[in-house]
Amino acid sequence: MVVELIDADGAATVRVDYLLVGGLPGSAVPLQLLGFAAATTEEVTVAGLGDVILWPASGSLRAASFSAPDHDPGSPLRLSVGYRIAHAVEGEGPVLRVRIPVAVVPLPTAEGVEAPFEARVRLPNGWTLSEAFPSGFRADSAGDQVVSLAVIPSVVGFRANTDGQWRLGFPLVVHLLMATILIAFGWRGLRHLRKLAA
């Protein structure tokens, strides 16, 4: 998945590339897209097929099914799904929240594939990423933020700082608080053991 954030209007363009194996030309391919607050889209296209209409399924979940394009039955089908999220970025000021719904093809993962999903996020100049879900994003040599996962998530989300300043986020506060509590209990337990030994 490749995500490009558009600084001017808070939108994002998304392309999700799938490599499907074992399917025949013309077989049904399911597609699902879950909406998150204002981060929804209806402008979904599949390369070689054009626009795909997503119908309401349950809650904010929308789904579609289309016939697989013609391809050699002995080779994998490369499927490219593109869409635009008009309100991917929420908030004002230097700290923003970004939510990117993932167009999912709910089919089993091929055997032997350990990390079938990779997300690549291209941030506007000066933006930094923090508090990401899923965790594990890292910057590559091109400056993109990249993460590889063993499962396909329904959303990629994170906080973005637009002024380049580092800020103490809620997850780090929770980790520091938990570490402080553990150290305090350990110190108290050690004092108690020393009293018993004396």
Side-chain angles (χ1 to χ4, degrees), residues 56-77:
S58 173
S60 64
L61 177 67
R62 290 169 296 143
S65 182
F66 52 89
S67 297
D70 288 337
H71 67 285
D72 181 358
S75 64
L77 168 63

Side-chain angles (χ1 to χ4, degrees), residues 33-167:
L33 191 60
L34 194 60
F36 288 86
T40 59
T41 183
E42 306 238 348
E43 304 170 17
V44 179
T45 61
V46 175
L49 295 178
D51 294 340
V52 173
I53 298 174
L54 296 172
W55 298 97
S58 173
S60 64
L61 177 67
R62 290 169 296 143
S65 182
F66 52 89
S67 297
D70 288 337
H71 67 285
D72 181 358
S75 64
L77 168 63
R78 296 184 182 277
L79 193 68
S80 184
V81 182
Y83 50 101
R84 183 177 189 274
I85 304 169
H87 303 288
V89 181
E90 292 180 343
E92 294 181 4
V95 181
L96 305 173
R97 172 172 290 203
V98 180
R99 290 188 184 102
I100 309 294
V102 179
V104 176
V105 174
L107 295 173
T109 302
E111 291 184 12
V113 180
E114 294 182 3
F117 180 79
E118 180 184 271
R120 177 176 298 274
V121 178
R122 295 183 178 138
L123 299 171
N125 289 334
W127 285 31
T128 57
L129 180 147
S130 65
E131 299 181 32
F133 174 83
S135 60
F137 274 94
R138 66 195 183 287
D140 69 358
S141 59
D144 297 342
Q145 295 290 326
V146 181
V147 66
S148 298
L149 300 171
V151 295
I152 301 174
S154 57
V155 66
V156 170
F158 54 89
R159 289 191 186 277
N161 296 325
T162 62
D163 59 0
Q165 296 294 317
W166 182 86
R167 289 177 176 79

